[in-house]
Amino acid sequence: MPTTLTSEATTVWTGDLPTGSGTVTLDSSHAAEFSVNWKARAEGVSNTTNPEELLGAAHAACFSMALANALGSAGHTPESIQTTAAVTFAAGTGVIGSHLLVSAKIPGLTEAEFEVFAQDAKDNCPISKALAGIPITIEAELA
């Protein structure tokens, strides 16, 4: 039977949407606590996050782990993988896409071979699968 893990985060929100604010706490890891508000979500604000940035963090981490696993399983241990996930939010519509920008150092791999691994990781990482309702695009290159 596969191992399962449930991870938890809690948000406490006060006030209405335009003027209210909240705090997101990573309950399972106790690794961080983040402030959130509508202005950060709709316009972008320094030192305040939004759900899309947190989703981007999850997508970038998941993709990097899936890519490292696929490469390692095929005998290509990566020296490094850097992934940025740009998640786009449109007020009134919601999340409309995630774009992965990937740069990796993998000795002995050609650009064409890397593209195959990157596309597979994009399609099969669990967060990509959870985001199946939105377009996911990728730019991947060897560093």
Side-chain angles (χ1 to χ4, degrees), residues 55-67 83-85 100 125 127:
L55 185 58
H59 201 191
C62 183
F63 172 87
S64 294
M65 294 169 79
L67 182 57
T83 305
T84 300
L100 300 169
C125 93
I127 298 297

Side-chain angles (χ1 to χ4, degrees), residues 81-94:
I81 299 169
Q82 178 178 318
T83 305
T84 300
V87 176
T88 303
F89 171 79
T93 302

Side-chain angles (χ1 to χ4, degrees), residues 11-104:
T11 299
V12 176
W13 185 270
T14 55
D16 63 6
L17 181 60
T19 62
S21 63
T23 302
V24 177
T25 304
L26 304 182
D27 298 332
S28 299
S29 65
H30 304 286
E33 185 174 283
F34 305 99
S35 296
V36 293
N37 62 40
W38 175 251
K39 187 171 183 173
R41 189 170 199 184
E43 301 172 23
V45 176
S46 293
N47 300 315
T48 304
T49 194
N50 57 58
E52 291 70 34
E53 184 176 36
L54 296 171
L55 185 58
H59 201 191
C62 183
F63 172 87
S64 294
M65 294 169 79
L67 182 57
N69 183 53
L71 289 164
S73 294
H76 304 287
T77 302
E79 286 182 15
S80 67
I81 299 169
Q82 178 178 318
T83 305
T84 300
V87 176
T88 303
F89 171 79
T93 302
V95 175
I96 59 172
S98 182
H99 180 70
L100 300 169
L101 183 59
V102 185
S103 177

